[in-house]
Amino acid sequence: FPAMSAAVVAAAARSTLRPPSLQTLLEGTPESATVPYTSSSGADSESKTADKSSLTRKLKHDVIEGVNQLIQEIAGCHEQIAEQAIEHIHQNEVILTLGSSRTVLEFLCAAKEKKRSFRVFVAEGAPRYQGHLLAKELVARGLQTTVITDSAVFAMISRVNMVIIGAHAVMANGGVIGPVGVNMAALAAQKHAVPFVVLAGSHKLCPLYPHNPEVLLNELRSPSELLDFGEFSDCLDFGAGSGSLQVVNPTFDYVPPNLVSLFITDTGGHNPSYMYRLIADYYSADDLVM
Amino acid sequence: MLQAFQEVVKDYSTPPENTLNRDMTAQISSYVSFLIECRPLSISMGNAIRFVKNRIAKLPITLSESEAKASLHSDIERFINEKIIGADTVIVEHAVTKIRDGDVLLTYGSSTVIEMILVHAHELGKKFRVFVVDSRPKLQGKLLLRRLIKRGINCTYTHITAISYIMHQVTKVFLGASSVFSNGTVYSRVGTACVAMVANAFRVPVLVCCEAYKFHEKVQLDYSICSNELGDPNAISKVHGREDINYLNGLTNNAKLKFLNLMYDATPSDYISMIITDYGMVPPTSVPVIVREYQKEHLLQSSKIVI
């Protein structure tokens, strides 16, 4: 068998401490300290047929266990993130938020539970108007809320102590995919040296690197949210002398890592430059298609 | 407003034992306070009113009432033609030189000057696309969009939240202004600052088109709270045309929930590449110079009448 160098031994040790990667599970190799890349279909295929049924059962068990773990993580991440709220939100602060994220809602309510009094500005997040939803929830929980239009974000940023948003996904370089309009808020926050905090459960980490994030990682929604079809039907007729009309309605926005001050995940607060290590924790190197 | 003042002048008659100057100034002041009650004056309106009061004060006593009225009338007429309508023509001529074939332009909200520029450039045969960026609650961009499409300009319509998505395609940004302050800060419809900031982040030049009568010697640092105008808060809670968005119905009287509907915001001068006025194309740092020259011009004009 191949001589094992120090690096290979370290890789093998890492793989035993972690749950099995999907590739090793599907190849059917039993867990051992061998190098993951040795071919499995060679010598032990004969012995495999004998205990194939027990292997299948083990495989199913492992996969179900993995999925259960993931479900628990998703359900529990809100509390763990909200526990850290008290360190970051102080008395008489003004917080700006965008869109509607349950993590942000729990975060702010946890700070309120600990008797910190603060105000929240919510940008309405047209054209989905998720800010309205969040404002309704916040008011129901007793927080002082003000709804502002997205265009007023730059005007109000000088009056704000902190910007907190929830992420849709966190990329391998520490960049954030968030609701549309967060890049505008992040740029304004940088100009006024306001901390820009992103809340993300660890299940939101993504091992991909965003090469052209505006286009590739985005989703375009129906233009009817912006323009009523009936109202503009006379403009949609591409007759002679009339210009063409297009409508752009993206769902997500990309924020580069240099604009983010802090990530708060269920494992604690991190720098954007650290996020790639967390990805190594949750994804095995074999599973990543690079 | 100035045409309304022309009507005032025409219908005016001096009461006995009072001079035209003082009495008319008092009348104009009372009308101005009525206007202020309806809606706070914009800075350009303030400048125009100062001009009118200046002209009234400089009227020589020797003129008869009808001559004085005729002189005022023609002064206001000249102001309108030179400073407003004429200025727009000059700005359009300057600005179309900046539009090239294949350009992708971005404009925000609805500005008459910008519309004139785009239409004129299209008539000259230049090939370009326009992104019309709109925002709540006024959604004025829809009106501009309709007018541009009817003239045959290819347009793309989007909301202000999506500007980071489209900015990498844009080659130039054209913005209108309500006023420009002496430190180069542009005071304009709320959201203009966001557009200029994102354009700056993507290295796209920002050109502001503004007539010179809108300049003001005031300086302003704070971008929102000092001297802003508040609009109707219900305009935010109710979304016109989208009846499915009614999350905040019934909550408008809640003490914990407030709505902030700003009308204007101030764009810092470092986001602006160039200001196009009827005095030419100037950097934002030249604005105090124009303000000084502009005021001097007022004084020069008035000195012509005093023989």
Side-chain angles (χ1 to χ4, degrees):
Chain A
F1 57 91
M4 295 202 210
S5 66
V8 158
V9 168
R14 269 205 302 272
S15 67
T16 49
L17 288 173
R18 298 209 181 110
S21 75
L22 196 60
Q23 189 174 1
T24 45
L25 276 182
L26 292 176
E27 274 178 6
T29 46
E31 278 193 309
S32 68
T34 54
V35 177
Y37 289 104
T38 47
S39 128
S40 61
S41 51
D44 41 2
S45 52
E46 285 83 26
S47 55
K48 247 203 270 188
T49 48
D51 47 4
K52 200 179 177 93
S53 58
S54 69
L55 270 176
T56 327
R57 248 179 299 149
K58 186 169 189 312
L59 176 67
K60 279 191 194 175
H61 174 77
D62 282 337
V63 172
I64 290 175
E65 204 181 281
V67 173
N68 276 337
Q69 227 177 2
L70 200 55
I71 292 176
Q72 270 176 352
E73 246 178 50
I74 295 176
C77 74
H78 297 301
E79 286 137 38
Q80 286 178 309
I81 292 178
E83 275 168 19
Q84 303 170 51
I86 196 74
E87 297 162 16
H88 298 286
I89 300 181
H90 308 293
Q91 191 77 346
N92 291 332
E93 286 214 329
V94 180
I95 313 263
L96 173 71
T97 182
L98 260 120
S100 164
S101 162
R102 198 182 135 205
T103 325
V104 172
L105 177 66
E106 298 292 332
F107 192 81
L108 294 175
C109 292
K112 180 166 187 318
E113 296 298 312
K114 301 280 192 335
K115 308 283 185 283
R116 296 277 159 91
S117 81
F118 55 95
R119 302 188 51 188
V120 182
F121 280 105
V122 181
E124 60 177 8
R128 292 182 74 188
Y129 299 103
Q130 306 231 307
H132 287 215
L133 267 175
L134 181 65
K136 191 170 170 182
E137 297 284 317
L138 286 172
V139 168
R141 306 266 195 123
L143 276 167
Q144 183 70 35
T145 318
T146 307
V147 178
I148 61 171
T149 53
D150 312 295
S151 36
V153 164
F154 189 85
M156 296 312 294
I157 198 89
S158 51
R159 291 277 187 280
V160 161
N161 296 115
M162 193 180 337
V163 181
I164 300 183
I165 63 154
H168 176 78
V170 178
M171 313 309 293
N173 66 341
V176 180
I177 307 280
V180 70
V182 291
N183 193 26
M184 203 163 69
L187 286 167
Q190 188 195 40
K191 158 90 178 167
H192 290 264
V194 172
F196 188 82
V197 174
V198 177
L199 308 181
S202 40
H203 62 276
K204 297 221 170 122
L205 288 171
C206 176
L208 298 176
Y209 184 86
H211 288 287
N212 194 355
E214 289 91 14
V215 178
L216 293 180
L217 300 170
N218 219 326
E219 193 185 303
L220 292 177
R221 294 169 65 89
S222 162
S224 60
E225 289 179 355
L226 286 179
L227 281 186
D228 194 40
F229 283 137
E231 203 183 313
F232 272 80
S233 53
D234 51 339
C235 290
L236 293 171
D237 165 35
F238 301 149
S242 165
S244 68
L245 171 63
Q246 289 179 341
V247 179
V248 177
N249 187 7
T251 325
F252 299 117
D253 226 356
Y254 171 70
V255 179
N258 57 314
L259 296 177
V260 180
S261 313
L262 185 69
F263 277 98
I264 297 184
T265 68
D266 39 356
T267 45
H270 306 292
N271 239 12
S273 49
Y274 183 72
M275 297 313 278
Y276 76 99
R277 298 302 290 175
L278 295 178
I279 287 168
D281 265 347
Y282 293 102
Y283 292 88
S284 159
D286 315 329
D287 293 332
L288 297 174
V289 178
M290 290 299 193
Chain B
M1 180 193 76
L2 282 171
Q3 284 167 338
F5 281 157
Q6 278 182 320
E7 292 287 323
V8 165
V9 166
K10 214 164 49 167
D11 298 339
Y12 180 77
S13 56
T14 329
E17 291 141 30
N18 212 337
T19 56
L20 183 100
N21 304 33
R22 263 175 266 146
D23 188 56
M24 193 180 273
T25 315
Q27 290 266 330
I28 299 276
S29 302
S30 68
Y31 297 142
V32 168
S33 24
F34 169 70
L35 285 174
I36 292 177
E37 256 181 70
C38 298
R39 202 194 142 169
L41 286 182
S42 70
I43 292 171
S44 45
M45 285 165 83
N47 281 350
I49 290 170
R50 264 194 312 179
F51 168 79
V52 171
K53 285 193 181 170
N54 195 343
R55 310 260 17 81
I56 298 174
K58 292 280 193 312
L59 282 176
I61 317 269
T62 49
L63 287 180
S64 77
E65 183 180 312
S66 52
E67 278 174 10
K69 279 161 66 164
S71 151
L72 261 182
H73 197 276
S74 69
D75 275 343
I76 297 180
E77 190 71 33
R78 200 160 36 122
F79 186 88
I80 295 177
N81 284 335
E82 275 176 25
K83 299 291 173 203
I84 305 180
I85 300 176
D88 282 346
T89 323
V90 174
I91 291 177
V92 166
E93 270 173 34
H94 282 306
V96 290
T97 59
K98 290 291 170 198
I99 301 179
R100 296 200 189 97
D101 278 348
D103 256 350
V104 179
L105 308 175
L106 184 141
T107 182
Y108 176 69
S110 168
S111 166
T112 16
V113 183
I114 306 292
E115 190 186 333
M116 286 166 68
I117 293 172
L118 294 173
V119 166
H120 191 60
H122 186 71
E123 280 167 11
L124 289 176
K126 304 206 183 202
K127 308 257 178 303
F128 58 91
R129 285 200 287 140
V130 178
F131 274 100
V132 177
V133 178
D134 204 2
S135 82
R136 280 248 300 149
K138 292 215 145 183
L139 292 173
Q140 289 170 327
K142 285 189 183 177
L143 305 165
L144 177 66
L145 179 73
R146 191 180 280 280
R147 290 195 291 258
L148 289 178
I149 301 247
K150 288 279 189 290
R151 300 292 195 120
I153 301 175
N154 292 339
C155 297
T156 307
Y157 178 77
T158 180
H159 200 270
I160 192 173
T161 40
I163 43 174
S164 310
Y165 178 78
I166 58 171
M167 194 55 80
H168 61 100
Q169 300 174 34
V170 176
T171 53
K172 291 190 186 73
V173 176
F174 278 89
L175 298 172
S178 170
S179 166
V180 183
F181 297 138
S182 272
N183 59 345
T185 310
V186 172
Y187 193 65
S188 178
R189 179 68 56 206
V190 68
T192 313
C194 288
V195 174
M197 172 185 67
V198 177
N200 200 41
F202 283 80
R203 304 266 189 277
V204 175
V206 176
L207 292 88
V208 173
C209 303
C210 182
E211 299 89 342
Y213 80 98
K214 289 182 179 170
F215 289 2
H216 203 273
E217 68 263 7
K218 196 161 77 156
V219 286
Q220 181 162 319
L221 284 176
D222 188 318
Y223 303 135
S224 57
I225 303 299
C226 312
S227 72
N228 204 332
E229 191 185 327
L230 284 180
D232 174 22
N234 288 328
I236 300 190
S237 60
K238 298 200 187 331
V239 182
H240 172 73
R242 297 274 302 279
E243 273 67 33
D244 52 324
I245 311 281
N246 56 355
Y247 311 125
L248 294 177
N249 281 353
L251 279 177
T252 35
N253 291 330
N254 197 319
K256 294 267 180 199
L257 183 63
K258 293 197 170 52
F259 297 94
L260 187 60
N261 187 1
L262 294 174
M263 301 274 13
Y264 292 107
D265 74 9
T267 309
S269 60
D270 28 350
Y271 292 149
I272 299 162
S273 317
M274 183 158 72
I275 302 186
I276 305 179
T277 76
D278 42 331
Y279 288 99
M281 299 194 270
V282 296
T285 45
S286 299
V287 173
V289 175
I290 291 182
V291 168
R292 194 152 154 251
E293 297 305 309
Y294 183 58
Q295 287 196 325
K296 235 196 259 179
E297 196 184 284
H298 267 317
L299 298 166
L300 280 172
Q301 268 183 352
S302 57
S303 65
K304 271 187 243 163
I305 298 179
V306 176
I307 315 278

